[in-house]
Amino acid sequence: MMKWLLLSALALAAQHLGVLSYTVPQGSPGFYHGNSSAAVTFDAHSMFLDNKRLFVFSGEFHPWRAPSGKAIWRDVFEKMKAAGFNTASIYFHWGLSSAKEGGALDFNFFRSHTDLYEVAKEVGILIISRPGPYINAETTAGGFPGWLTNVPALARTNQTGFTNAWMPYIKAVAKFIEPFQYPNGPVIAVQSENEFFQSFPDNPGRAEYMQLIEDTYRANGITKIPITHNDAHPQGAYAGPGLGAVDLYCWDEYPNGFDCSHPTVWGQVDTQLNADHQKIDPDVMWSAAEFQGGSFDPWGGPGYDSCYQLLNEQFANVYYKNNYAAQVTLQSLYMTYGGTNWGNLAEPTVYTSYDYGAPIREDRTLSPKFNEIKLQSHFLHASTDFVLSTMTSADTSLSDKGQVFTTALSSPSGVGFYVVRQNDNAITTRTDFQLKMNTTAGVVTVPQFGGTNSLEGRESKIFVTNYPFGSNKLAYSTAEVMTWTTIDKTDIVVLYALAGHTIEASIPTTAQKVTVSGSTSVTAKVSNGSVVINGSPSGASVITFGSAKVVVFDKATALAWWNPRLAGTGKTPYDVAPDVPSVLVGGPYFVRSATQHGSVLALTGDLNATTTLDVIASSSVKSITWNGKTLSVSKSAFGSIRATLPFGVKAPTVPSLKDATWLCEDSLPEIKDGFDDSSWVTANKTSTPRPQQPTGGKFVLYADEYGFHYGNTIARGHFTGNATGVKLNVQGGFNFGYSVWLNNKFLGSNQGTNANAANGGLDQTNDTWTFNTADVRPGDNVVTVVVDTTGLNEDQGGDDFFKTPRGVRGYQLLGGPDFSVWKIQGNLGGENGPDNTRGPLNEGGLFFERQGAHLPGFPATNWASSKTDSTCSPTVGITTAGIKAYRTTFNLNFPANSDIPIALKFTRTPTSSYRTIIYINGWQFGRFSSKDGPQTLFPLPEGILNHQGENELLVTIWSLDAQGAKIADIGLVNTATIDSGKPPVGAVSSPGFAQLRR
Ligand code: GAL
């Protein structure tokens, strides 16, 4: 250890002497696996790419939660890139690629590694690949395939059955990653497992399994990039040394928790982050593989707007800056774009939307948090000294106010960073204060020239001292730095603070003259060889002197500015260092790209209204285009090139579903007399190796045991004789539901509750259903149990919890002989389902699904029509317990330059118990529960939805109540109207009825 510390210190010293190239010393942790050919290295401070230090500013994105594929992934990546994310962290989902044990692995369409890496490479986003095998992620079985529930080996150990299960998957994944390792592609790290624990004497085989995953990656070509882990807590699992130790240890943090019902309740920031890191692995940069970007929300929760509020831009401001204060240099925000739990992707604690209250919302619109993050990430990339800084003090002593907590950091070259915040997150009011800062002229108390510093409640700021921008330096600034760039040999630094706050900055200069253009709320004077800027920002002020320009914005203005790198100018597409030429662009809702061809600056981006555009660019720029159209430009008062960007999209006409023609059909023929289930699977197992044993009955009725892992399932038990009732233990996950019939007589329903319920949540119920003597027939009687499961459990504890059964867990026929036979039904074909495009999870086992009525082109010729039967509409519904399917078509014709996200909107009647499944063009895009909610708005993403043509929609009503149910109102709404420069998405090509139900 000492040896490498010494070498590391030498290397660091070389760096400070201006030696550009940096080699990670052999024997140091960054020199992992004795690998001299590593393209991605790191030390105690940061990661290096191409011998350049970088702050890895990463955001979590799940391509499989955005199945429209490449065009939409590109849009998300372009948005991330514009917000300053230089990296995306990606979970891949084993279960989506593996329908059956030993079967072919499928990495096509939204499961593709290659497509994802190619898009990332084109956009210039680095990738941290996280393929599992276990991912958690609030997805069914935590990403394990359904068939794994039947493998008689303890998962997440080195037991042979489990090893044989995952090995082909990880080998295949390694082959996909191998050609995309940096610098040939964007992948800079691969994570092994997720939130995993070490072996203990009574819990063996864990570290061995971890080691085996890593060895498999290395043996299959993953040699240029580090293998990482994401520890659930800063406890050092696999930080090394020892079996399973990874190259780069990371952990995750969700400091505000997941209770979106109390969206203003914050805990305190963790002041021990750096200390925890120092205890575990001081030799290695501190990496947060996941840091809270939002929160998931359970069935019955308050909804994602509340989650957004809990984890809003103020949270981002205070908590992320607290991470920087603790010297994090890899931070990945989970989630940055959440997406959708379409097609049975959810596990029982979450519903269809996985919006997550993330910076980019589910409909891909940008939140205020997105812009707050943009300011921070740009600052970090611009502040190349930041990653080398270390903490010099962290307390309230630098301020005259006891409630102002300051973490002071200093870089070896003397750059100072002062992260200030109120020391109690309960304070929601403003505090004015003075601060002592260490400058080259000694300790100064700022502001020196009038006014005070201010912090609103739940606000954090970073002041700087001795801060270089190009060949100039801020002696100090109490305005925050957004970014800086050098254009035409002028160093331009962008500063900001909230309107009403006083700022002060001092910049040494030999210039005699200083001019202020734009807003005069900020003044500047030359005094004792420095330009001193003081005032309260309002709009834009530009202070020009010598070879420097200081742009001062009020924060609301700064949030609408962008700093795109000029396309094609960096050494690599990923480089966002300040030496890569860039322009400053203000006003638009979103700036996607900037390219300079000769005297033309071509900008692309999106607008949500007519906007004034301001551009600060080289004087060589003579004209500007926006999404290909040449603008008429003028000069603004503060010297920018100004133009008007007209909003060019008309408010769309969204078809009404109320007036639509609906076709409808009963979807529960299973309760009709004479229904023939002879082709169904016979439940013939009488034992199971699972830890979760049956609670009664001769046969094991777990749907998974018979190959049905996703969506609704049906069990039919036959008996002859005078039974008086049936006891059923049905298990389907939190908020599951089921209904039961004796022959065609409805016996009743029961439903689960969510994990936050007073009883801790019901994921199963025990019920006794009594038969009317008159309903029991001579001859064959059938008990039909229809189960709506909410997905397979996760496996956080590594105790095979994901194997918890779904369906009838136990049964007993009362007052008569036993059932003679049970038949089980689920999605068509079980593990051999027909749809390789939408994948193995999309369909469930209700009648209409087995028939293929949700698929495009289904010939609903025998179905009733609302044209002749006015009851044939979901807003009229059904009058008994049961299930009915409704189908309609609608056309969209949105202009090519638009981004108009569409959602299906329901009115919820919580007093009525019904469940609805939504299919759009054959893709299951929603599960609605009137009793639980909260989701009533179901985004139907472009690509899955055809924005220029016909769409086929199917919704069901399953009434769990005897009196029936209706959807009070149903319609399509646009959740935004954006004039967009995004490339055309096009409808995803996916097979229809003719291909899948031949
Ligand atoms: C983390 C886990 C993620 C996800 C997250 C909560 O602990 O690693 O997979 O479950 O919690 O959204």
Side-chain angles (χ1 to χ4, degrees), residues 71-91:
I72 291 296
W73 301 349
R74 175 186 301 276
D75 182 60
V76 171
F77 280 165
E78 287 181 346
K79 285 172 175 161
M80 288 176 65
K81 174 107 178 169
F85 291 91
N86 56 0
T87 306
S89 165
I90 312 282
Y91 274 145

PDB file of all heavy atoms in Angstrom, residues 71-91:
ATOM      1  N   ALA A  71     -34.539   5.693 -31.769  1.00  0.00           N
ATOM      2  CA  ALA A  71     -34.877   7.109 -31.983  1.00  0.00           C
ATOM      3  C   ALA A  71     -35.183   7.787 -30.648  1.00  0.00           C
ATOM      4  O   ALA A  71     -34.769   8.933 -30.414  1.00  0.00           O
ATOM      5  CB  ALA A  71     -36.062   7.238 -32.933  1.00  0.00           C
ATOM      6  N   ILE A  72     -35.873   7.079 -29.781  1.00  0.00           N
ATOM      7  CA  ILE A  72     -36.226   7.660 -28.482  1.00  0.00           C
ATOM      8  C   ILE A  72     -34.996   7.651 -27.566  1.00  0.00           C
ATOM      9  O   ILE A  72     -34.763   8.593 -26.802  1.00  0.00           O
ATOM     10  CB  ILE A  72     -37.421   6.885 -27.880  1.00  0.00           C
ATOM     11  CG1 ILE A  72     -38.692   7.156 -28.687  1.00  0.00           C
ATOM     12  CG2 ILE A  72     -37.611   7.204 -26.403  1.00  0.00           C
ATOM     13  CD1 ILE A  72     -39.191   8.590 -28.677  1.00  0.00           C
ATOM     14  N   TRP A  73     -34.191   6.601 -27.635  1.00  0.00           N
ATOM     15  CA  TRP A  73     -32.956   6.569 -26.827  1.00  0.00           C
ATOM     16  C   TRP A  73     -32.074   7.767 -27.192  1.00  0.00           C
ATOM     17  O   TRP A  73     -31.469   8.404 -26.338  1.00  0.00           O
ATOM     18  CB  TRP A  73     -32.170   5.280 -27.049  1.00  0.00           C
ATOM     19  CG  TRP A  73     -32.936   4.026 -26.723  1.00  0.00           C
ATOM     20  CD1 TRP A  73     -34.145   3.945 -26.067  1.00  0.00           C
ATOM     21  CD2 TRP A  73     -32.564   2.689 -27.040  1.00  0.00           C
ATOM     22  NE1 TRP A  73     -34.523   2.638 -25.972  1.00  0.00           N
ATOM     23  CE2 TRP A  73     -33.583   1.848 -26.561  1.00  0.00           C
ATOM     24  CE3 TRP A  73     -31.474   2.117 -27.703  1.00  0.00           C
ATOM     25  CZ2 TRP A  73     -33.537   0.456 -26.699  1.00  0.00           C
ATOM     26  CZ3 TRP A  73     -31.418   0.733 -27.850  1.00  0.00           C
ATOM     27  CH2 TRP A  73     -32.433  -0.087 -27.345  1.00  0.00           C
ATOM     28  N   ARG A  74     -32.022   8.048 -28.488  1.00  0.00           N
ATOM     29  CA  ARG A  74     -31.207   9.181 -28.928  1.00  0.00           C
ATOM     30  C   ARG A  74     -31.743  10.481 -28.329  1.00  0.00           C
ATOM     31  O   ARG A  74     -30.984  11.305 -27.841  1.00  0.00           O
ATOM     32  CB  ARG A  74     -31.213   9.276 -30.461  1.00  0.00           C
ATOM     33  CG  ARG A  74     -30.492  10.500 -30.998  1.00  0.00           C
ATOM     34  CD  ARG A  74     -30.646  10.611 -32.501  1.00  0.00           C
ATOM     35  NE  ARG A  74     -30.111   9.428 -33.153  1.00  0.00           N
ATOM     36  CZ  ARG A  74     -28.830   9.254 -33.455  1.00  0.00           C
ATOM     37  NH1 ARG A  74     -27.972  10.208 -33.176  1.00  0.00           N
ATOM     38  NH2 ARG A  74     -28.421   8.153 -34.022  1.00  0.00           N
ATOM     39  N   ASP A  75     -33.053  10.623 -28.333  1.00  0.00           N
ATOM     40  CA  ASP A  75     -33.646  11.842 -27.767  1.00  0.00           C
ATOM     41  C   ASP A  75     -33.273  11.966 -26.282  1.00  0.00           C
ATOM     42  O   ASP A  75     -32.876  13.040 -25.823  1.00  0.00           O
ATOM     43  CB  ASP A  75     -35.169  11.800 -27.937  1.00  0.00           C
ATOM     44  CG  ASP A  75     -35.828  13.065 -27.422  1.00  0.00           C
ATOM     45  OD1 ASP A  75     -35.501  14.141 -27.942  1.00  0.00           O
ATOM     46  OD2 ASP A  75     -36.643  12.981 -26.479  1.00  0.00           O
ATOM     47  N   VAL A  76     -33.373  10.868 -25.555  1.00  0.00           N
ATOM     48  CA  VAL A  76     -33.037  10.894 -24.118  1.00  0.00           C
ATOM     49  C   VAL A  76     -31.546  11.210 -23.945  1.00  0.00           C
ATOM     50  O   VAL A  76     -31.165  12.056 -23.126  1.00  0.00           O
ATOM     51  CB  VAL A  76     -33.418   9.560 -23.437  1.00  0.00           C
ATOM     52  CG1 VAL A  76     -32.870   9.505 -22.018  1.00  0.00           C
ATOM     53  CG2 VAL A  76     -34.929   9.373 -23.437  1.00  0.00           C
ATOM     54  N   PHE A  77     -30.704  10.566 -24.719  1.00  0.00           N
ATOM     55  CA  PHE A  77     -29.252  10.807 -24.601  1.00  0.00           C
ATOM     56  C   PHE A  77     -28.903  12.252 -24.980  1.00  0.00           C
ATOM     57  O   PHE A  77     -28.041  12.873 -24.366  1.00  0.00           O
ATOM     58  CB  PHE A  77     -28.457   9.833 -25.469  1.00  0.00           C
ATOM     59  CG  PHE A  77     -28.296   8.468 -24.852  1.00  0.00           C
ATOM     60  CD1 PHE A  77     -27.889   7.380 -25.616  1.00  0.00           C
ATOM     61  CD2 PHE A  77     -28.523   8.246 -23.499  1.00  0.00           C
ATOM     62  CE1 PHE A  77     -27.721   6.117 -25.060  1.00  0.00           C
ATOM     63  CE2 PHE A  77     -28.363   6.988 -22.928  1.00  0.00           C
ATOM     64  CZ  PHE A  77     -27.960   5.920 -23.717  1.00  0.00           C
ATOM     65  N   GLU A  78     -29.562  12.778 -26.016  1.00  0.00           N
ATOM     66  CA  GLU A  78     -29.263  14.165 -26.395  1.00  0.00           C
ATOM     67  C   GLU A  78     -29.676  15.120 -25.284  1.00  0.00           C
ATOM     68  O   GLU A  78     -28.998  16.110 -25.023  1.00  0.00           O
ATOM     69  CB  GLU A  78     -29.937  14.514 -27.727  1.00  0.00           C
ATOM     70  CG  GLU A  78     -29.235  13.829 -28.887  1.00  0.00           C
ATOM     71  CD  GLU A  78     -29.808  14.137 -30.264  1.00  0.00           C
ATOM     72  OE1 GLU A  78     -30.928  14.677 -30.355  1.00  0.00           O
ATOM     73  OE2 GLU A  78     -29.138  13.812 -31.260  1.00  0.00           O
ATOM     74  N   LYS A  79     -30.789  14.807 -24.637  1.00  0.00           N
ATOM     75  CA  LYS A  79     -31.206  15.651 -23.512  1.00  0.00           C
ATOM     76  C   LYS A  79     -30.211  15.536 -22.361  1.00  0.00           C
ATOM     77  O   LYS A  79     -29.812  16.539 -21.755  1.00  0.00           O
ATOM     78  CB  LYS A  79     -32.626  15.267 -23.072  1.00  0.00           C
ATOM     79  CG  LYS A  79     -33.666  15.797 -24.046  1.00  0.00           C
ATOM     80  CD  LYS A  79     -35.065  15.290 -23.788  1.00  0.00           C
ATOM     81  CE  LYS A  79     -36.022  15.992 -24.764  1.00  0.00           C
ATOM     82  NZ  LYS A  79     -37.292  15.306 -24.929  1.00  0.00           N
ATOM     83  N   MET A  80     -29.796  14.295 -22.062  1.00  0.00           N
ATOM     84  CA  MET A  80     -28.825  14.115 -20.981  1.00  0.00           C
ATOM     85  C   MET A  80     -27.535  14.862 -21.282  1.00  0.00           C
ATOM     86  O   MET A  80     -26.975  15.556 -20.434  1.00  0.00           O
ATOM     87  CB  MET A  80     -28.548  12.621 -20.767  1.00  0.00           C
ATOM     88  CG  MET A  80     -29.709  11.888 -20.111  1.00  0.00           C
ATOM     89  SD  MET A  80     -29.440  10.103 -19.953  1.00  0.00           S
ATOM     90  CE  MET A  80     -28.068  10.057 -18.828  1.00  0.00           C
ATOM     91  N   LYS A  81     -27.086  14.714 -22.506  1.00  0.00           N
ATOM     92  CA  LYS A  81     -25.826  15.359 -22.894  1.00  0.00           C
ATOM     93  C   LYS A  81     -25.925  16.880 -22.729  1.00  0.00           C
ATOM     94  O   LYS A  81     -25.010  17.533 -22.212  1.00  0.00           O
ATOM     95  CB  LYS A  81     -25.527  14.994 -24.350  1.00  0.00           C
ATOM     96  CG  LYS A  81     -24.345  15.704 -24.925  1.00  0.00           C
ATOM     97  CD  LYS A  81     -23.168  14.798 -25.079  1.00  0.00           C
ATOM     98  CE  LYS A  81     -21.998  15.521 -25.699  1.00  0.00           C
ATOM     99  NZ  LYS A  81     -20.779  14.741 -25.632  1.00  0.00           N
ATOM    100  N   ALA A  82     -27.064  17.442 -23.145  1.00  0.00           N
ATOM    101  CA  ALA A  82     -27.254  18.892 -23.040  1.00  0.00           C
ATOM    102  C   ALA A  82     -27.308  19.334 -21.583  1.00  0.00           C
ATOM    103  O   ALA A  82     -26.991  20.470 -21.260  1.00  0.00           O
ATOM    104  CB  ALA A  82     -28.525  19.302 -23.774  1.00  0.00           C
ATOM    105  N   ALA A  83     -27.741  18.417 -20.701  1.00  0.00           N
ATOM    106  CA  ALA A  83     -27.771  18.750 -19.267  1.00  0.00           C
ATOM    107  C   ALA A  83     -26.422  18.479 -18.616  1.00  0.00           C
ATOM    108  O   ALA A  83     -26.301  18.563 -17.390  1.00  0.00           O
ATOM    109  CB  ALA A  83     -28.858  17.957 -18.560  1.00  0.00           C
ATOM    110  N   GLY A  84     -25.435  18.120 -19.401  1.00  0.00           N
ATOM    111  CA  GLY A  84     -24.091  17.950 -18.861  1.00  0.00           C
ATOM    112  C   GLY A  84     -23.777  16.553 -18.366  1.00  0.00           C
ATOM    113  O   GLY A  84     -22.716  16.334 -17.778  1.00  0.00           O
ATOM    114  N   PHE A  85     -24.671  15.611 -18.580  1.00  0.00           N
ATOM    115  CA  PHE A  85     -24.325  14.221 -18.256  1.00  0.00           C
ATOM    116  C   PHE A  85     -23.318  13.771 -19.312  1.00  0.00           C
ATOM    117  O   PHE A  85     -23.618  13.824 -20.506  1.00  0.00           O
ATOM    118  CB  PHE A  85     -25.557  13.319 -18.317  1.00  0.00           C
ATOM    119  CG  PHE A  85     -26.563  13.560 -17.223  1.00  0.00           C
ATOM    120  CD1 PHE A  85     -27.600  14.461 -17.389  1.00  0.00           C
ATOM    121  CD2 PHE A  85     -26.470  12.882 -16.017  1.00  0.00           C
ATOM    122  CE1 PHE A  85     -28.529  14.684 -16.385  1.00  0.00           C
ATOM    123  CE2 PHE A  85     -27.389  13.098 -14.998  1.00  0.00           C
ATOM    124  CZ  PHE A  85     -28.430  14.001 -15.185  1.00  0.00           C
ATOM    125  N   ASN A  86     -22.142  13.330 -18.879  1.00  0.00           N
ATOM    126  CA  ASN A  86     -21.206  12.783 -19.863  1.00  0.00           C
ATOM    127  C   ASN A  86     -21.290  11.262 -19.904  1.00  0.00           C
ATOM    128  O   ASN A  86     -20.615  10.614 -20.696  1.00  0.00           O
ATOM    129  CB  ASN A  86     -19.769  13.255 -19.601  1.00  0.00           C
ATOM    130  CG  ASN A  86     -19.279  12.932 -18.200  1.00  0.00           C
ATOM    131  OD1 ASN A  86     -20.015  12.352 -17.390  1.00  0.00           O
ATOM    132  ND2 ASN A  86     -18.041  13.281 -17.894  1.00  0.00           N
ATOM    133  N   THR A  87     -22.150  10.674 -19.049  1.00  0.00           N
ATOM    134  CA  THR A  87     -22.219   9.221 -18.910  1.00  0.00           C
ATOM    135  C   THR A  87     -23.659   8.796 -18.630  1.00  0.00           C
ATOM    136  O   THR A  87     -24.391   9.522 -17.964  1.00  0.00           O
ATOM    137  CB  THR A  87     -21.333   8.766 -17.730  1.00  0.00           C
ATOM    138  OG1 THR A  87     -20.012   9.288 -17.921  1.00  0.00           O
ATOM    139  CG2 THR A  87     -21.255   7.264 -17.608  1.00  0.00           C
ATOM    140  N   ALA A  88     -24.020   7.621 -19.143  1.00  0.00           N
ATOM    141  CA  ALA A  88     -25.300   7.014 -18.755  1.00  0.00           C
ATOM    142  C   ALA A  88     -25.014   5.652 -18.141  1.00  0.00           C
ATOM    143  O   ALA A  88     -24.164   4.905 -18.629  1.00  0.00           O
ATOM    144  CB  ALA A  88     -26.215   6.860 -19.959  1.00  0.00           C
ATOM    145  N   SER A  89     -25.710   5.364 -17.059  1.00  0.00           N
ATOM    146  CA  SER A  89     -25.580   4.070 -16.398  1.00  0.00           C
ATOM    147  C   SER A  89     -26.798   3.245 -16.798  1.00  0.00           C
ATOM    148  O   SER A  89     -27.928   3.732 -16.728  1.00  0.00           O
ATOM    149  CB  SER A  89     -25.533   4.311 -14.892  1.00  0.00           C
ATOM    150  OG  SER A  89     -25.747   3.115 -14.195  1.00  0.00           O
ATOM    151  N   ILE A  90     -26.544   2.020 -17.239  1.00  0.00           N
ATOM    152  CA  ILE A  90     -27.610   1.243 -17.885  1.00  0.00           C
ATOM    153  C   ILE A  90     -27.753  -0.133 -17.239  1.00  0.00           C
ATOM    154  O   ILE A  90     -26.835  -0.956 -17.300  1.00  0.00           O
ATOM    155  CB  ILE A  90     -27.293   1.014 -19.390  1.00  0.00           C
ATOM    156  CG1 ILE A  90     -26.880   2.316 -20.080  1.00  0.00           C
ATOM    157  CG2 ILE A  90     -28.449   0.320 -20.089  1.00  0.00           C
ATOM    158  CD1 ILE A  90     -27.977   3.245 -20.443  1.00  0.00           C
ATOM    159  N   TYR A  91     -28.895  -0.406 -16.638  1.00  0.00           N
ATOM    160  CA  TYR A  91     -29.211  -1.793 -16.277  1.00  0.00           C
ATOM    161  C   TYR A  91     -29.730  -2.502 -17.526  1.00  0.00           C
ATOM    162  O   TYR A  91     -30.563  -1.946 -18.259  1.00  0.00           O
ATOM    163  CB  TYR A  91     -30.371  -1.828 -15.284  1.00  0.00           C
ATOM    164  CG  TYR A  91     -30.084  -1.693 -13.817  1.00  0.00           C
ATOM    165  CD1 TYR A  91     -30.998  -1.024 -13.002  1.00  0.00           C
ATOM    166  CD2 TYR A  91     -28.974  -2.271 -13.207  1.00  0.00           C
ATOM    167  CE1 TYR A  91     -30.803  -0.916 -11.629  1.00  0.00           C
ATOM    168  CE2 TYR A  91     -28.782  -2.163 -11.835  1.00  0.00           C
ATOM    169  CZ  TYR A  91     -29.683  -1.488 -11.050  1.00  0.00           C
ATOM    170  OH  TYR A  91     -29.505  -1.386  -9.708  1.00  0.00           O
TER     171      TYR A  91
END
